[in-house]
Amino acid sequence: MSKYLNPVYKDLESYTPGEQLNDKNYIKLNTNESPFPPSCEVINSLRSDNIAKLNLYPDPECTELKEKIAKLYGFLPENVFLSNGSDDILNFCFIAFCTKERKVAFPDISYGFYEVFANFNNLEAEQIPLKENFILDYRDYCNKNKLIIIANPNAPTGIAITPKEVEKILCSNTDNVVVIDEAYVDFGADSCTSLVNKYDNLLVVQTFSKSRSMAGARLGFAFGSKGLIQDLNKIKYSVNPYSVNRMTMAAGIAAIESNDYYLKNCKEIIKVRDYTSNELVKLGFEVTNSKANFVFAKTDCISGKDLYLELKEKGVLVRYFDKDKIQSYNRITIGTKKQMDIFIQTVKKILEEVQA
Ligand SMILES: *Cc1c(COP(=O)(O)O)cnc(C)c1O
């Protein structure tokens, strides 16, 4: 730290991204990326004349991409917001929709970045405890008068709530915004996009990072009422109007045009997820009912941390969280069937060693 840093940020605890190691060829099941490459159309979009135009700024309105997304999801372009990853959009929500009087609330077990954004924006966050077995009770979120952020399906548990439950939350929070973070919705949960035209306090946030194999491109999008989208644009145009660059924009358009490819990949991930869950249960693990591209599992035989370390030693990376309530768990991203078979075999070996 230098002596020049604004003291406000002195004790800021920033986000710890999942490990991106290069010391050996790991099977990487730790950051919820897709094991599948982007579609051929996406790859080709990066070879075309788009690259020759890098001397020119990108369209800050993202007009074509916005229209394509709006059409695919049945919205008007005025209901669509785009930025550099959904993390960017979530941060804008804290900036735009919180005040000293109207703070923020989210579940105690959820996406780690929410707490970071709350601290960064100097907001005291109310972390609402999940019920037993990581169940989210919608009644805990009614009449809050705070910005509410819910990942649905939740991370790292993978457990989803229904749009009906979200609707109850929306009805009782008409004076504040409710953000539903649907980073994993394409893997089997019901989306709340159908509620956007009915509730002007709802913002549904999604990303190209997980189901569309574009974590490296940084592209997030959100659906909301015209007013909410205007608010987010006010923030974006005050920070960086060009947050979606030319290459990402071209890739995003191509990804929407090859939607069938991604739907097929999602189906495969769901199949392999359910297979992996079953195999883990056979090995004596307790596994949550995940609707995401990961499973969340624990066993009495070995602690979450030790299993993570043993797997890493043997070339498989998973995510372990050093946090009360979930310390005994690991979050395992769903890779290809072949990767998951190696994962299961490796777990088997570790359990045998532990029990020997
Ligand atoms: C991965 C993830 C994000 C971030 O997605 P980006 O678009 O890559 O920034 C947001 N929310 C949740 C719950 C996530 O898991």
Side-chain angles (χ1 to χ4, degrees), residues 4-17:
Y4 306 107
L5 180 70
N6 180 340
V8 168
Y9 300 120
K10 201 170 83 76
D11 297 319
L12 187 64
E13 256 194 67
S14 42
Y15 183 69
T16 312

Side-chain angles (χ1 to χ4, degrees), residues 89-350:
I89 302 178
L90 293 167
N91 188 30
F92 290 172
C93 290
F94 280 80
I95 297 171
F97 305 126
C98 290
T99 63
K100 283 253 163 331
E101 293 74 37
R102 200 173 50 215
K103 292 173 181 161
V104 62
F106 45 82
D108 64 339
I109 309 288
S110 195
Y111 184 40
F113 229 134
Y114 302 155
E115 200 177 346
V116 176
F117 286 139
N119 290 334
F120 183 62
N121 289 286
N122 208 3
L123 292 161
E124 207 179 299
E126 181 187 357
Q127 303 205 26
I128 302 176
L130 293 176
K131 297 286 194 267
E132 186 129 337
N133 297 323
F134 307 119
I135 297 301
L136 187 153
D137 187 338
Y138 76 85
R139 288 168 295 193
D140 294 339
Y141 297 81
C142 292
N143 303 303
K144 278 272 120 178
N145 196 27
K146 290 178 179 176
L147 171 70
I148 293 171
I149 306 200
I150 296 174
N152 193 41
N154 198 9
T157 66
I159 298 171
I161 57 172
T162 64
K164 270 227 150 60
E165 291 168 298
V166 171
E167 205 164 357
K168 294 267 203 315
I169 297 171
L170 288 163
C171 289
S172 69
N173 282 285
T174 48
D175 288 332
N176 51 272
V177 173
V178 176
V179 174
I180 303 296
D181 179 352
E182 295 191 345
Y184 300 104
V185 80
D186 296 329
F187 302 105
D190 290 328
S191 175
C192 289
T193 46
S194 59
L195 302 175
V196 165
N197 284 327
K198 200 166 157 195
Y199 295 94
D200 64 4
N201 58 334
L202 169 63
L203 193 81
V204 174
V205 181
Q206 296 195 10
T207 175
F208 280 65
S209 292
K210 279 61 186 239
S211 59
R212 289 191 169 91
S213 301
M214 273 174 47
R218 315 304 305 127
L219 184 58
F221 57 109
F223 300 116
S225 61
K226 188 177 171 185
L228 287 187
I229 302 302
Q230 284 171 336
D231 298 341
L232 291 172
N233 273 317
K234 196 184 261 280
I235 306 295
K236 172 172 151 175
Y237 277 73
S238 305
V239 179
N240 177 10
Y242 305 115
S243 62
V244 180
N245 70 64
R246 230 171 226 287
M247 290 174 289
T248 296
M249 201 122 52
I253 291 165
I256 293 297
E257 284 168 350
S258 42
N259 201 45
D260 288 348
Y261 167 76
Y262 298 108
L263 288 176
K264 195 187 86 205
N265 288 348
C266 287
K267 268 194 195 145
E268 174 66 15
I269 296 283
I270 291 168
K271 204 171 87 187
V272 177
R273 174 189 70 210
D274 295 345
Y275 164 78
T276 306
S277 289
N278 276 331
E279 291 300 306
L280 284 170
V281 169
K282 281 192 224 161
L283 293 176
F285 279 81
E286 219 176 279
V287 184
T288 60
N289 178 21
S290 172
K291 298 287 177 202
N293 67 340
F294 53 81
V295 292
F296 196 54
K298 71 163 176 179
T299 169
D300 293 335
C301 298
I302 184 166
S303 75
K305 185 169 186 183
D306 286 343
L307 181 57
Y308 152 76
L309 288 171
E310 289 285 333
L311 281 166
K312 186 172 171 180
E313 171 74 27
K314 291 177 163 58
V316 182
L317 281 182
V318 300
R319 189 90 192 248
Y320 152 76
F321 300 90
D322 188 11
K323 184 174 177 174
D324 269 9
K325 287 195 191 182
I326 55 173
Q327 266 181 350
S328 48
Y329 284 82
N330 281 286
R331 189 196 69 191
I332 305 124
T333 304
I334 300 303
T336 61
K337 169 78 165 40
K338 203 165 143 195
Q339 289 178 318
M340 300 324 284
D341 276 328
I342 296 173
F343 162 74
I344 292 289
Q345 288 313 315
T346 313
V347 170
K348 232 182 230 170
K349 214 180 294 166
I350 292 167

Side-chain angles (χ1 to χ4, degrees), residues 21-41:
L21 298 172
N22 288 317
D23 57 326
K24 61 179 170 188
N25 217 355
Y26 289 101
I27 294 189
K28 205 170 167 304
L29 308 177
N30 67 331
T31 47
N32 296 344
E33 290 141 329
S34 172
F36 302 115
S39 69
C40 305
E41 289 86 343

Side-chain angles (χ1 to χ4, degrees), residues 31-93:
T31 47
N32 296 344
E33 290 141 329
S34 172
F36 302 115
S39 69
C40 305
E41 289 86 343
V42 166
I43 291 166
N44 286 331
S45 75
L46 297 173
R47 290 199 192 117
S48 70
D49 51 351
N50 282 303
I51 300 211
K53 287 190 199 144
L54 282 182
N55 56 319
L56 305 175
Y57 283 107
D59 169 16
E61 288 290 314
C62 311
T63 310
E64 189 183 351
L65 177 56
K66 204 189 283 182
E67 280 169 3
K68 287 247 147 73
I69 293 178
K71 186 155 175 247
L72 180 65
Y73 286 86
F75 286 104
L76 295 171
E78 67 187 31
N79 299 115
V80 182
F81 180 77
L82 288 151
S83 200
N84 186 287
S86 55
D87 287 337
D88 212 29
I89 302 178
L90 293 167
N91 188 30
F92 290 172
C93 290

